[in-house]
Structures are given as C-alpha cells and as structure tokens.
Amino acid sequence: NSPSATYASAGVSLATASEFVKALSSLIKTTERPGSGTLDLGSFAGKFDLSAAGYSQDGENGAYLVACTDGVGTKLLVANDLKNYSTVGIDLVAMNVNDMLVHGAEPLFFLDYIACGKLSKDQSLDLVKGIVEGCKQAGCALIGGETAEMPGMYKEGEFDLAGFSVGAVRKEKWLPRPAGSANAMQVGDQVYMLPSSGIHSNGFSLVRKVLPPPTWTQTCPWDKSKTMGNALLTPTKIYVRDILDMLKADSKGVVKAMAHITGGGLIENLPRVVPDGMCVELDASKWEAPEVFRHLKTAASIESDEMLRVFNCGVGFVIIASENPGIGTCIGRVVKESDGQKIKIVDAEKLW
C-alpha cells in the first residue's frame, strides 16, 4: 500500500509554522502602544481602540482612518542572495508608514504577509525582527500577520513580503491643505527636504542590472567597511518621529503639503501634491546625492533625468511650508506654473 498523504509530504510543515508563531509572541509584544492593548497572536483578527489612542469620532472634529499597503520589491533578491534578512522588514514598514505621513497621519498599527515556498523558522524570524524594529521606529503596533507556505508557487528559499498599515489624523490636520483654504499652498512657499539613507526600496530592478549579483560580495567603493550587497541593503529611513514632532509644533499651520519620494523619484512624486497652476522649482546645488547614486550613474551612464525619475537621489521626504518648519534643508520654492510642468529641477548635473 502507498503511504497515506500528509500536508508535510506535500511540502507544508504545520509543526514548523506552530513553532514559528510561538517564537513570535515575545517579539510582537514589544510593539504594544496605547490602543493596541495586550497583543495576542492566538486571535483570528487584531483589534485597535481608537479612543485609547486619543482619536475620538465626534463629527467634524473627529478623525480619518488612513490605510496604506506596500512591499519591498526586488530588493528582496539582494537580501535572499546574501542570506541577510535583518533589514528588509524595516523597509517594509517604512514604505507604508512614510506614505501615510504625507497626509499628516500617525501610524497606529501594522500587519505583515510573508509568502514562501518552504517555511524556514530562522529566516522568517529574522524577517519579523526587522518588521518589529520598523514598528518600534514608527511607533505602531504589530497587531497581526500571515505566513503562507506555498510549495509550487515559490521555490524553496524564495519569499515575498507585503505590509499593511492603518493610522489616523484629525480631520482639520489633513494634508495637503485643501485648495482655497486659509493655509493652502501658494506661490512663494518654500520646499524643504529630509535626506534619504540611500536607495531605500525603489529602483532595484535597475540597480540589479547595473550592479549584478557577482558585485554584491565585493568591497563597497563608497564604504570600505561593507560589501556592495550589504551597502545596498541599507534600510529605508523612517521619518515618523521627526515629522509628527514637527506637525505637533506647527501651531501656525505653516506646513502646506508633504511628499514621500519613492518609485518615480522627485519628478513623479512631488507633482502629486502640487495644485494646478503652481510648480515646484528645486535647486539641485542645495543638496548632495549620496555616493551610491553617483556610482550607479557613472557605472551605466544613466541620464540625470532618468536618475531623478527612478531614484530619490538623496531626497527621502519633502515638506512644503510657508516658512521654516523647524526641520530639513531648503532646496526650492513654489512658483507659478508656466509651461504645464509642476516640477523643475535646476542644475541637476551638480548632483553628480
């Protein structure tokens, strides 16, 4: 007689999954915050108490819930090739909570989804440790997640990550300021930038074309203490605490709009928050592109316009304000739109 079929014989180990969940319990609890209560991994769903977090729902003075979802993209291929899973969890959180910040929202809780061909307890724990670190940096609770072992869908060792974050912002604090309102963006407002930590989590399909896997174990030319691969894995900067502190101190409402510079770079992301009839004019001589971008540009003769359309080029987050918001470096101003363009970058060649 043939042996009876089991889930394990089909490639899915329930025992490993159970051990993994048990190992997560103490990690997850370190992300508890007001509103999350005591985090319990045995529940079918996570809950969050908005009132305990300070967000009441009293009509016009209430709050909006704000939701985001994102992944890490092909940066995961670098992590997997190097067997270094310690930082991509931070990237996962960052790509979600930084988007949410654009609207002035405070990240409240996070959920993760890990899909793999064969569950490795050590690999998955490293991934979740990074997610937990990201949640701590962002001040949000990791209230749940899903780990899916799918042999046949993914090869053994392959995996993907997705994240989901929910936050809140009081209705009167929503950004960008509505057109026609007292604090709406206007010509003469200034543009401030917060620096990126490097490539962050966008453009890695091009990065891997310019710097293929054989280069990843070589010494990094701009940081001799690291290999090229580990330098590329520098995690995305999380801007939550800096931005929320800035907004809390903004009693005059000088902040008009913000932008997270992700896929599409400055050229695609800044126009998303600029009203019709206006243009953001940036002076590239006002900031310095990190060496990784110079290396990429030189290695493949990438045009400046393409660099600015794919990568953040050193600008991780942008604040548009009527006066100095207390953080960041001024790199431009809002001018009247003249030729249908909502963004102009002057002296781009000085970045390299």
Side-chain angles (χ1 to χ4, degrees):
N1 293 333
S2 300
S4 62
T6 64
Y7 214 3
S9 70
V12 178
S13 173
L14 295 176
T16 302
S18 179
E19 291 174 6
F20 173 57
V21 171
K22 289 178 181 177
L24 290 181
S25 181
S26 59
L27 268 178
I28 303 304
K29 289 182 181 297
T30 64
T31 71
E32 290 177 354
R33 53 151 292 155
S36 72
T38 300
L39 296 173
D40 178 12
L41 290 183
S43 300
F44 282 89
K47 69 178 186 300
F48 194 92
D49 186 342
L50 279 173
S51 61
Y55 292 94
S56 60
Q57 294 296 327
D58 50 350
E60 293 183 0
N61 295 319
Y64 293 119
L65 285 177
V66 184
C68 292
T69 183
D70 210 336
V72 182
T74 59
K75 187 175 187 177
L76 294 180
L77 294 174
V78 183
N80 210 21
D81 188 86
L82 298 174
K83 302 295 185 284
N84 181 350
Y85 309 110
S86 61
T87 60
V88 288
I90 300 173
D91 289 304
L92 183 65
V93 176
M95 297 305 291
N96 283 274
V97 298
N98 286 344
D99 277 357
M100 183 179 297
L101 275 180
V102 167
H103 299 293
E106 174 191 6
L108 299 175
F109 61 85
F110 193 85
L111 300 101
D112 66 80
Y113 179 83
I114 303 173
C116 59
K118 183 174 178 59
L119 180 62
S120 163
K121 179 183 172 183
D122 291 341
Q123 178 195 64
S124 298
L125 272 176
D126 280 347
L127 292 172
V128 175
K129 285 177 182 177
I131 294 169
V132 165
E133 174 59 28
C135 286
K136 289 180 178 179
Q137 291 183 27
C140 61
L142 181 58
I143 68 169
E146 168 71 0
T147 302
E149 188 174 16
M150 296 186 283
M153 183 71 75
Y154 297 90
K155 295 178 182 178
E156 185 173 340
E158 291 182 350
F159 69 96
D160 197 8
L161 295 178
F164 314 86
S165 187
V166 174
V169 59
R170 298 194 181 284
K171 292 180 179 179
E172 71 274 13
K173 299 293 186 180
W174 176 265
L175 294 171
R177 304 288 184 188
S181 66
N183 289 334
M185 193 185 304
Q186 60 186 357
V187 171
D189 285 342
Q190 299 172 328
V191 182
Y192 293 82
M193 61 84 80
L194 298 182
S196 67
S197 58
I199 299 173
H200 284 184
S201 301
N202 300 104
F204 269 84
S205 293
L206 179 54
V207 171
R208 291 182 302 106
K209 180 179 176 64
V210 177
L211 303 174
T215 68
W216 299 345
T217 56
Q218 297 173 6
T219 300
C220 176
W222 61 88
D223 185 346
K224 303 296 185 182
S225 67
K226 299 178 180 179
T227 63
M228 180 83 78
N230 285 331
L232 294 177
L233 288 177
T234 299
T236 305
K237 183 173 176 58
I238 292 176
Y239 299 97
V240 171
R241 299 195 187 279
D242 287 342
I243 293 298
L244 292 183
D245 285 349
M246 174 198 73
L247 293 175
K248 185 176 181 179
D250 183 20
S251 59
K252 297 191 296 182
V254 303
V255 176
K256 308 297 186 66
M258 299 187 289
H260 180 206
I261 309 306
T262 58
L266 285 161
I267 290 177
E268 298 292 339
N269 284 289
L270 258 181
R272 296 166 66 180
V273 299
V274 177
D276 291 341
M278 297 185 197
C279 171
V280 170
E281 185 177 82
L282 305 182
D283 181 352
S285 70
K286 300 295 185 181
W287 82 92
E288 185 174 350
E291 190 61 37
V292 59
F293 297 111
R294 300 180 191 181
H295 186 85
L296 285 167
K297 186 179 189 306
T298 301
S301 301
I302 304 173
E303 297 290 337
S304 291
D305 185 72
E306 183 72 1
M307 291 290 297
L308 291 161
R309 194 178 297 277
V310 175
F311 302 113
N312 65 63
C313 295
V315 180
F317 205 87
V318 169
I319 304 156
I320 299 176
S322 57
E323 59 185 72
N324 192 330
I327 60 173
T329 301
C330 185
I331 61 170
R333 61 196 178 112
V334 177
V335 299
K336 186 176 180 181
E337 182 183 327
S338 60
D339 54 5
Q341 301 296 315
K342 288 192 172 183
I343 183 169
K344 293 180 180 178
I345 301 178
V346 179
D347 288 335
E349 294 303 322
K350 291 186 178 179
L351 283 171
W352 328 112

